[in-house]
Amino acid sequence: MAVTITIPTALRQFAGGSASVALDAEDVGALLRGLVEQHPSLGKQIFGDDGKLRSFVNIYVGDEDIRYLQGEATPVKDGETVSIIPAIAGGDL
Amino acid sequence: MGAHKGRPDAIIMVTHLLRLSPTVAQAIAAHAEATYPDECVGLLFGSLDGELKTALSAYAVENRWAGQVSLAESDDPSSRRDRFYLDPRDYLRADREARASGLEIVGCYHSHPDAPATPSERDRVGAQAIGGTSFAFVIQSVRAGAAAELASWLLVDSGARFTEEELQLWP
């Protein structure tokens, strides 16, 4: 079962320049583990020291944030696209 | 890091560069003036060729700051005058549009109303997912409602600090 995972521009330097990777996985957790296995330096970009997703890193299955689905247990289907999406914030004061 | 053979005194400097079309620069300035005194935010579509980033169009995004993330102890969830938030749903939509037209997201921009175009500590905290040299962090200063200086920065040293990169109007 191949699922496509898209890599945002800023993270491609840790993924050998790939814009997307296709992997076999049944849920988001397995997909992310497979991705990090292929590109180990992506690991600390996506996960914090506690092993959880970093706060400015979001994972979408289709149009839905996995935080509002079943987290890393969210199932993924053949042909589906999972996106790693950054949140960006800031301010002057 | 040894010096190159035969050039022991040479200082090797890597200059990072963002090329920006004049129409993109004008679009950022106009967006920043339109939202003044609030901060504006948007993304830059273009191409990435090794270390060279070229921005061909500006994609305006709504500043949806409402205290979604913690940037400082003094966060005011209602103040878009000194905070911005680029919602990942907007980024996802932009990313699909960029890819569909054969472009990449090569950076983001936001404005600093009545403040210099230099990143703040809040900017550093909020840019942790876009570090590295392949993503430009552009800041447009706006003074008394009129666009002033524009600068491009890169978040380096594993997110520890920003360094300014060269910004070139092109073509």
Side-chain angles (χ1 to χ4, degrees), chain B:
Chain B
M1 295 284 176
H4 278 200
K5 266 184 187 173
R7 294 184 63 198
D9 299 325
I11 297 169
I12 312 295
M13 284 194 62
V14 178
T15 305
H16 295 288
L17 173 67
L18 172 67
R19 294 196 304 193
L20 203 67
S21 80
T23 52
V24 175
Q26 285 159 12
I28 295 171
H31 188 193
E33 289 177 353
T35 62
Y36 180 90
D38 287 352
E39 295 193 8
C40 74
V41 58
L43 292 163
L44 300 172
F45 288 5
S47 62
L48 186 63
D49 180 11
E51 294 283 336
L52 173 66
K53 300 175 290 295
T54 304
L56 299 168
S57 63
Y59 182 92
V61 175
E62 189 177 337
N63 177 1
R64 298 190 197 274
W65 170 258
Q68 290 95 333
V69 290
S70 174
L71 296 173
E73 286 179 12
S74 61
D75 287 337
D76 173 355
S78 68
S79 179
R80 290 178 186 157
R81 291 185 177 211
D82 55 27
R83 287 287 184 279
F84 75 90
Y85 182 68
L86 201 163
D87 192 293
R89 285 167 294 185
D90 291 321
Y91 189 105
L92 178 61
R93 190 178 310 121
D95 194 42
R96 285 175 180 162
E97 285 188 30
R99 287 176 195 240
S101 49
L103 299 173
E104 314 271 11
I105 295 177
V106 295
C108 66
Y109 68 87
H110 77 284
S111 62
H112 278 182
D114 297 314
T118 50
S120 67
E121 172 61 12
R122 273 64 57 195
D123 290 334
R124 189 190 67 80
V125 172
Q128 289 301 306
I130 49 158
T133 55
S134 51
F135 199 95
F137 191 83
V138 171
I139 303 177
Q140 170 74 63
S141 173
V142 194
R143 295 183 192 278
E149 77 272 18
L150 185 72
S152 185
W153 303 81
L154 301 169
L155 185 66
V156 296
D157 291 349
S158 301
R161 67 182 179 93
F162 278 104
T163 182
E164 190 167 5
E165 69 172 340
E166 190 182 341
L167 196 158
Q168 191 182 84
L169 289 185
W170 175 90

Side-chain angles (χ1 to χ4, degrees), chain A:
Chain A
M1 230 176 40
V3 179
T4 300
I5 181 157
T6 66
I7 319 283
T9 332
L11 291 185
R12 286 181 207 162
Q13 60 191 306
F14 305 103
S18 304
S20 64
V21 173
L23 290 169
D24 292 330
E26 296 195 341
D27 62 31
V28 170
L31 185 69
L32 294 176
R33 283 193 297 278
L35 179 68
V36 170
E37 211 166 277
Q38 269 192 20
H39 302 289
S41 53
L42 265 179
K44 69 173 189 164
Q45 305 299 321
I46 298 175
F47 299 107
D49 294 336
D50 57 1
K52 291 184 181 161
L53 276 182
R54 294 182 64 181
S55 56
F56 289 90
V57 174
N58 305 278
I59 308 292
Y60 279 71
V61 174
D63 292 334
E64 296 297 327
D65 185 338
I66 62 160
R67 289 190 177 94
Y68 303 105
L69 298 170
Q70 296 162 60
E72 291 186 30
T74 304
V76 286
K77 292 195 296 272
D78 195 15
E80 209 155 37
T81 298
V82 173
S83 308
I84 303 175
I85 298 292
I88 309 171
D92 190 48
L93 288 174

